[in-house]
Amino acid sequence: METINENPDEILTNRKKEKVTADLPKDVEMTEEKIKYPRAVPFILGNEFCERFNFYGMRTILALYLVQKLNYSEDSATVIFHLFTTVYYFLCLFGAIVSDSWWGKFKTIVILSLVYIAGNLTLTAGAVPPFNLPARTFTFLGLALISLGGGGIKPCVAPFGGDQFKLPQQAKQLAWFFSIYYFAINFGAFISTIVTPIFRDDVKCFGDQDCFSLGFFFPACLMTISFTIFVLGKPLYILKPLEGNMMFKVSGAVWTGIKGKWNTKKDDDKKEHWLDYAEDKYGKKLIDESKILLNVLVLFVPLPFFWALFDQQGSRWTFQATRMEGDIGFYYIKPDQAQLLNPLMILIFIPLYEVAFYPVLHLFGVKRPLQKLTLGMVLAGVAFIISFVLELQLMKTYPVLPKGNEGHLRIYNTLPCDFTVQGFEEPFVLNSSTISPNIIKLLDKTESETILFKFTARTGNCLDFTSNLQFKRHEATGYYFTTSSTNIPNSIKFIDNPDKTNNGNPRIRVLANTARNYPIVIRGERTIEITSSNTTDFDLPKGSYSLIVNGNEINYFEFKLGGVYAILIHEYSDNKFESYKETVSDPNTINILWIIPQYLVMTLGEVMFSVTGISFSFDEAPQSMKSVLNGCWQLTSAFGNIIIVIIAELPLFEEQAWEFLLFAVIMFIDSALFAWLAYRYKSIPHGEEVENTNDVRAVQEKQEVDMNENKEVD
């Protein structure tokens, strides 16, 4: 960890600008008080609030959109979600280069915001059913434009806000600006995480039972407002001059330095630093600033692993929430609304950190930015330990699904008789309108196997019969029976699916033993219309529903979150029916409030990591490279999402819990590596800082001379 320095020179060298004014003479402090707070800041904060509302609102429902509307699996949706995030943050570097080299921060934000808006509207258009557009194509095109526009402006906004302050006189105001800036980000994220899931799930549009298109369109409107607010503030902005194509210059200097070092013979004069070999070509100023940049970038190497954990709130943790009970009595929390815990807690924690948490941490010696970053990384690992423990508890409520070479089979008895069933291991009793136990068979050598089952009637007027039932490898198969004219039941096969739905809604399947193909209606919050020959499962919102067969309301059922149900119907007389609800997989029993601890710890870590990291990047960077270094900071998030994609694609674990544990272990190892790098880190002062140091010395020397003269007079 960094050591604590007391004299002004060392404080400046270690970039603690928020403490500079405490060490400056009174004259310098008075100068700080005379400088007014920049009037342009509200426009920048308003812009950031609306843009983050747009981004997080869209991203909140994106994973569920990929699964529910575009029919991707959870693993595929996770990969797509994080690939989008990866490209988004990779393009931050593009935005940094363009802003520092050609357009400047203001123009870059304006132009790429228009691209951003176009991406939002493209994504929305693909989600509107009447347009009949290729939804997947428009989704990927929209996400590509959002990545270009949003990623391009991301590294520019915070440094552009920092440009409005005069340093070192307004160092304290700048520190508060970064806190308020992060507050605006998370306030926008908090509101959007509440609103967009409501638009998605509670609004019905275009004949669908949901409205993803409105969920995407409303954030797009906020992005348009964001653009307008930012342009209106132009007369008040301080626009710093361009410093040239710094990224290309730095890359050239690095390449020249490496070649110079490689070509240097032992007898030649060696340079103090390998970059010094490029000084003749690129000049001392650029080489000195490149040294500062590379010095900081070494610290950035372990940082992607934090984002690999943090960004799973929008994917893995959201899918985890679909397996939990969202009813908290007075309100139902939707799975994607669990993400609002993060911005809500940040809104609470940011002011508390300044007045309570940081002072307490100071008592334990945690004062320096790199110490706070390390602690934030450790807390992220702890959060994933908590999610691991929660997932272990949730696994107890999950249905048993086929694994490896297993084939599963269930028999749904829609006949009016009880049977003794023989044919596989121990005989069992299958009562009327019930489901058999889940029968599991290992298929090591074949893809499928057919077994003859014997059904011996125990009650009623049914005849004994036999039926060949098939097991298929890695598949759950279901059978139910209908009465035939010969009184020998017909067996009907279907693909069984005992798994919980991706959106957390109950899954229902109707199996009817009727003489004719009757219309069946399930009516409640939503209405489903099928026929008695339809065995396809469907999902409905939780609640109470009436069952109507051929116009006759015959029963009333309650369906709970996460439950998988079979409605068994038997026509015992002409147009007279009886029905029963059987639970295939138990509904969710663990309340969604149990997800709060992992969000709490992750958010504590995020505030320490992200707020400190943004401020540290801005403070450490020379004026000409602030956007570049900020872009590199954003790039760590891109690499973090690549880590998620790699681990998600590798067939390491069948249970999600062990993947959570793997991420936690990696995070703890990574934290130790960062702590070691932080301990060895030495900040390099740059040009403008040396000038500020000289100014301070000059003022101090003048005051000392005045004091000595006064003493001599006395």
Side-chain angles (χ1 to χ4, degrees):
M1 293 298 167
E2 296 175 286
T3 58
I4 300 173
N5 301 292
E6 298 296 336
N7 66 69
D9 293 344
E10 290 176 325
I11 290 174
L12 284 167
T13 300
N14 283 281
R15 321 297 290 170
K16 291 294 290 180
K17 292 181 179 177
E18 68 270 20
K19 293 188 176 182
V20 171
T21 54
D23 297 301
L24 294 177
K26 298 294 183 180
D27 293 352
V28 178
E29 288 185 352
M30 290 176 62
T31 302
E32 178 184 356
E33 294 174 1
K34 294 177 182 178
I35 300 176
K36 294 182 179 180
Y37 197 84
R39 292 190 299 160
V41 165
F43 291 90
I44 297 171
L45 295 177
N47 160 265
E48 188 64 14
F49 165 81
C50 294
E51 187 275 326
R52 291 291 89 183
F53 184 108
N54 164 65
F55 180 76
Y56 283 105
M58 175 276 299
R59 210 175 72 146
T60 295
I61 63 175
L62 178 60
L64 295 183
Y65 177 70
L66 294 171
V67 170
Q68 296 176 25
K69 294 300 181 180
L70 302 188
N71 299 317
Y72 287 103
S73 67
E74 284 190 9
D75 282 342
S76 297
T78 298
V79 169
I80 294 169
F81 181 92
H82 291 291
L83 280 177
F84 157 67
T85 308
T86 297
V87 175
Y88 178 92
Y89 284 106
F90 262 122
L91 288 171
C92 288
L93 197 57
F94 163 78
I97 294 172
V98 168
S99 67
D100 279 351
S101 305
W102 297 293
W103 291 349
K105 298 182 186 71
F106 175 79
K107 190 175 180 180
T108 300
I109 294 171
V110 170
I111 293 175
L112 292 183
S113 290
L114 295 174
V115 177
Y116 200 164
I117 294 170
N120 287 124
L121 296 178
T122 301
L123 178 63
T124 301
V128 178
F131 289 174
N132 200 26
L133 299 171
R136 289 191 174 188
T137 300
F138 269 68
T139 296
F140 293 136
L141 177 59
L143 293 178
L145 292 173
I146 291 171
S147 297
L148 176 60
I153 70 174
K154 182 70 176 173
C156 302
V157 179
F160 186 72
D163 286 345
Q164 311 308 308
F165 294 85
K166 185 175 181 180
L167 297 177
Q169 294 91 336
Q170 291 185 297
K172 289 182 179 179
Q173 290 96 321
L174 178 61
W176 270 106
F177 165 75
F178 282 122
S179 293
I180 299 171
Y181 174 82
Y182 210 68
F183 185 92
I185 289 175
N186 288 279
F187 188 57
F190 170 66
I191 300 298
S192 67
T193 308
I194 295 175
V195 173
T196 50
I198 294 174
F199 289 150
R200 169 192 67 81
D201 192 54
D202 294 346
V203 177
K204 302 172 179 60
C205 62
F206 305 116
D208 288 344
Q209 299 299 319
D210 48 33
C211 198
F212 277 94
S213 53
L214 181 59
F216 289 135
F217 180 68
F218 189 77
C221 294
L222 266 291
M223 186 60 216
T224 305
I225 295 173
S226 170
F227 172 79
T228 304
I229 291 173
F230 184 76
V231 172
L232 289 175
K234 184 181 179 181
L236 302 176
Y237 297 144
I238 296 174
L239 305 179
K240 296 291 180 71
L242 297 180
E243 295 287 343
N245 196 329
M246 297 308 301
M247 180 57 68
F248 294 152
K249 288 181 180 179
V250 171
S251 300
V254 169
W255 176 245
T256 302
I258 292 174
K259 288 195 301 180
K261 176 69 174 177
W262 181 264
N263 295 330
T264 299
K265 298 179 181 179
K266 292 183 178 180
D267 298 334
D268 294 342
D269 292 334
K270 290 187 177 181
K271 304 288 187 181
E272 182 179 352
H273 191 282
W274 59 270
L275 269 175
D276 292 335
Y277 290 98
E279 185 174 322
D280 292 340
K281 183 176 180 180
Y282 290 93
K284 179 174 174 56
K285 182 176 184 295
L286 179 67
I287 296 305
D288 289 343
E289 293 180 348
S290 297
K291 290 177 183 178
I292 296 171
L293 180 68
L294 296 179
N295 189 46
V296 176
L297 290 184
V298 171
L299 288 175
F300 282 14
V301 172
L303 301 187
F305 288 94
F306 175 88
W307 299 115
L309 276 66
F310 176 81
D311 281 336
Q312 291 187 60
Q313 293 176 83
S315 56
R316 294 299 199 195
W317 282 13
T318 297
F319 293 136
Q320 186 181 50
T322 65
R323 271 72 167 167
M324 305 181 75
E325 170 60 68
D327 191 351
I328 58 174
F330 62 90
Y331 185 73
Y332 166 62
I333 301 177
K334 307 177 193 303
D336 40 353
Q337 283 183 322
Q339 298 175 61
L340 68 83
L341 291 170
N342 175 254
L344 174 62
M345 291 175 181
I346 285 178
L347 296 177
I348 298 172
F349 290 159
I350 284 180
L352 288 179
Y353 261 93
E354 296 293 340
V355 300
F357 294 158
Y358 284 153
V360 172
L361 290 175
H362 287 178
L363 298 177
F364 294 92
V366 180
K367 300 180 180 180
R368 315 296 286 174
L370 298 184
Q371 291 175 311
K372 296 173 184 177
L373 281 165
T374 305
L375 183 56
M377 296 168 73
V378 171
L379 289 174
V382 173
F384 263 65
I385 290 292
I386 298 172
S387 66
F388 162 70
V389 174
L390 176 61
E391 187 67 20
L392 288 179
Q393 300 305 311
L394 288 172
M395 284 171 59
K396 299 175 183 178
T397 70
Y398 292 169
V400 178
L401 303 176
K403 299 178 181 178
N405 295 329
E406 292 179 351
H408 291 195
L409 186 143
R410 286 184 179 84
I411 304 170
Y412 296 76
N413 187 5
T414 52
L415 298 172
C417 307
D418 300 340
F419 292 93
T420 298
V421 182
Q422 297 172 289
F424 187 84
E425 297 181 350
E426 295 295 324
F428 60 88
V429 175
L430 181 60
N431 293 324
S432 177
S433 301
T434 62
I435 308 174
S436 73
N438 185 30
I439 306 170
I440 302 175
K441 182 172 180 58
L442 289 177
L443 303 172
D444 293 325
K445 298 181 179 180
T446 60
E447 288 295 320
S448 63
E449 184 174 337
T450 300
I451 295 180
L452 181 66
F453 283 82
K454 181 180 179 181
F455 296 81
T456 303
R458 296 165 57 91
T459 60
N461 297 321
C462 299
L463 300 178
D464 297 347
F465 67 97
T466 60
S467 182
N468 288 309
L469 307 183
Q470 185 184 55
F471 292 84
K472 293 193 70 175
R473 181 187 294 180
H474 203 63
E475 189 171 292
T477 305
Y479 284 90
Y480 77 103
F481 301 97
T482 59
T483 305
S484 68
S485 58
T486 61
N487 288 329
I488 301 298
N490 298 316
S491 63
I492 300 177
K493 175 185 175 183
F494 60 91
I495 298 175
D496 203 4
N497 186 5
D499 197 10
K500 298 174 183 288
T501 60
N502 293 315
N503 58 10
N505 285 339
R507 186 193 302 276
I508 300 102
R509 187 191 307 275
V510 176
L511 302 173
N513 175 18
T514 58
R516 291 181 292 277
N517 192 21
Y518 294 115
I520 297 176
V521 177
I522 299 177
R523 181 174 295 153
E525 181 178 339
R526 295 181 185 172
T527 299
I528 296 292
E529 297 180 1
I530 58 174
T531 62
S532 55
S533 63
N534 190 328
T535 62
T536 304
D537 60 48
F538 49 88
D539 68 89
L540 291 169
K542 70 178 185 69
S544 300
Y545 291 82
S546 58
L547 175 64
I548 302 169
V549 181
N550 200 28
N552 301 312
E553 185 172 330
I554 63 171
N555 217 329
Y556 200 71
F557 297 123
E558 180 81 16
F559 301 121
K560 297 183 178 180
L561 288 172
V564 180
Y565 303 96
I567 297 177
L568 307 182
I569 301 174
H570 169 242
E571 185 179 9
Y572 62 89
S573 181
D574 186 41
N575 205 31
K576 295 186 181 297
F577 311 91
E578 57 184 8
S579 62
Y580 299 89
K581 181 188 74 174
E582 286 293 306
T583 301
V584 180
S585 300
D586 291 331
N588 300 342
T589 55
I590 298 179
N591 196 278
I592 201 169
L593 295 180
W594 283 106
I595 210 170
I596 291 178
Q598 64 199 53
Y599 273 95
L600 173 65
V601 176
M602 179 62 79
T603 305
L604 287 170
E606 182 200 357
V607 175
M608 300 198 70
F609 183 90
S610 195
V611 174
T612 305
I614 292 173
S615 180
F616 178 80
S617 297
F618 186 87
D619 287 348
E620 289 293 296
Q623 181 60 43
S624 63
M625 295 189 185
K626 291 190 183 297
S627 289
V628 173
L629 190 56
N630 190 268
C632 292
W633 167 261
Q634 304 298 339
L635 204 60
T636 62
S637 183
F639 284 111
N641 281 270
I642 289 177
I643 294 170
I644 300 173
V645 170
I646 292 173
I647 294 180
E649 285 290 275
L650 292 176
L652 297 177
F653 310 104
E654 291 188 355
E655 286 84 18
Q656 182 60 48
W658 305 111
E659 185 179 294
F660 285 153
L661 180 61
L662 174 64
F663 275 109
V665 171
I666 292 174
M667 189 72 257
F668 291 135
I669 297 173
D670 188 63
S671 301
L673 172 61
F674 182 80
W676 179 75
L677 291 174
Y679 178 79
R680 292 170 54 87
Y681 178 75
K682 301 295 181 183
S683 183
I684 303 174
H686 43 77
E688 62 267 23
E689 192 170 75
V690 174
E691 292 175 3
N692 291 331
T693 306
N694 292 334
D695 290 342
V696 173
R697 288 191 185 127
V699 175
Q700 291 175 325
E701 290 172 358
K702 183 178 184 303
Q703 288 189 340
E704 289 175 0
V705 170
D706 291 342
M707 291 175 62
N708 291 332
E709 290 178 352
N710 291 335
K711 288 181 180 179
E712 292 176 0
V713 172
D714 293 339

